[in-house]
Amino acid sequence: MNLEHVKQFVLEKLGKEASGHDYLHALRVLENAKQMTPFYDVKEEVVFVSCLIHDLIDIKLEDQFKVSVEDLKLFLLKEGMIENDVEMVIEIIDQISYSKGTIPKTLEGIIVQDSDRLDALGAIGIARAFAFGGKNNRLIYNPKSADDTDSVSHFFQKLFKLTSLMNTDQGRIEAEKRTQFMKGYLRQLYHEINKEDSFE
Ligand code: ADP
Ligand code: NI
């Protein structure tokens, strides 16, 4: 199966998606997975294809970007993927998209989940959080509220919890590094906004 064709398909669908589920996100998730698969006995093709297309059926996507499960299956079969692997990919991306709290049933799915979560952390994770927040009318930060109505709160509500949710050792180690970077970023942010005394 030609991964370049899958990339092209995702580029056509998500090239202009601006809330963080874009084509480049898919490529980064693939790269994260490539760091992990050598350590596991998995079907690499299933992992790599799942990484590339994992957000195409996400309920959070606007309709113009979404692809139906049926169309995805047809595309993968047409590209030469065997039916059993197509079913595996669909199951993986379904678990990743809709039930983030759950651990995927297969090792392949576990690697895709960790790879996707890593892209919510580090420098790129910070950029994605603010991009998502801006698109959804969230404040950058809200000094008066500790709820999840601003993007900085999201760091605490979700992102700083991801390290402990990682399934693989490689994922956990990288998640911890990226989380430390984010905490350093927040220290600087707090320093700057305190200095301006902009709380009241
Ligand atoms: P994915 O489907 O790629 O796992 P999500 O759909 O959960 O990611 O979120 C996409 C990006 O938007 C992530 O980087 C995430 O941190 C960010 N995000 C999601 N919810 C919020 C929020 N409430 N505030 C700020 N950023 C958010
Ligand atoms: Ni994703």
Side-chain angles (χ1 to χ4, degrees):
M1 193 177 178
N2 190 336
L3 267 195
E4 292 308 312
H5 291 180
V6 184
K7 286 184 190 171
Q8 194 56 37
F9 181 75
V10 178
L11 177 61
E12 280 161 23
K13 302 291 178 191
L14 293 182
K16 295 198 168 63
E17 212 282 338
S19 78
H21 295 102
D22 55 305
Y23 171 66
L24 294 173
H25 165 61
L27 289 189
R28 290 190 303 269
V29 176
L30 171 65
E31 289 309 314
N32 290 341
K34 283 185 176 171
Q35 305 295 316
M36 295 181 209
T37 49
F39 298 97
Y40 299 92
D41 182 18
V42 287
K43 291 184 171 185
E44 284 198 338
E45 189 174 89
V46 167
V47 174
F48 296 161
V49 169
S50 300
C51 286
L52 285 171
I53 66 172
H54 78 277
D55 272 334
L56 279 177
I57 59 165
D58 199 300
I59 39 169
K60 285 187 296 304
L61 280 185
E62 290 170 32
D63 282 346
Q64 56 165 323
F65 300 117
K66 227 180 278 183
V67 180
S68 73
V69 170
E70 275 320 304
D71 285 349
L72 261 189
K73 279 188 186 172
L74 286 176
F75 168 74
L76 295 175
L77 289 170
K78 184 174 69 67
E79 286 296 322
M81 187 174 242
I82 60 167
E83 209 165 334
N84 188 47
D85 289 357
V86 172
E87 291 304 327
M88 229 176 137
V89 167
I90 298 295
E91 186 177 295
I92 288 171
I93 66 173
D94 187 55
Q95 289 166 350
I96 300 291
S97 289
Y98 298 116
S99 45
K100 297 218 164 109
T102 64
I103 300 173
K105 292 194 200 84
T106 57
L107 202 44
E108 282 81 356
I110 276 173
I111 292 175
V112 178
Q113 187 175 59
D114 277 15
S115 303
D116 189 28
R117 284 174 169 165
L118 275 182
D119 203 52
L121 296 175
I124 193 67
I126 294 171
R128 289 181 77 214
F130 290 122
F132 179 101
K135 192 141 205 284
N136 291 283
N137 300 316
R138 287 168 178 270
L139 293 175
I140 294 173
Y141 65 95
N142 182 355
K144 292 195 173 149
S145 157
D147 63 11
D148 196 12
T149 58
D150 61 283
S151 296
V152 167
S153 296
H154 184 67
F155 287 38
F156 297 94
Q157 299 289 332
K158 177 177 167 191
L159 303 178
F160 290 163
K161 295 176 182 161
L162 289 179
T163 300
S164 64
L165 295 174
M166 287 287 170
N167 306 299
T168 64
D169 290 343
Q170 293 78 15
R172 196 172 315 105
I173 290 165
E174 181 61 17
E176 178 58 24
K177 281 189 201 155
R178 293 188 184 201
T179 299
Q180 288 311 322
F181 175 82
M182 294 168 88
K183 290 187 172 166
Y185 167 82
L186 277 193
R187 272 192 290 279
Q188 174 68 16
L189 179 79
Y190 289 151
H191 169 70
E192 292 174 17
I193 59 186
N194 279 328
K195 205 168 73 181
E196 283 179 24
D197 201 19
S198 59
F199 284 145
E200 299 306 327

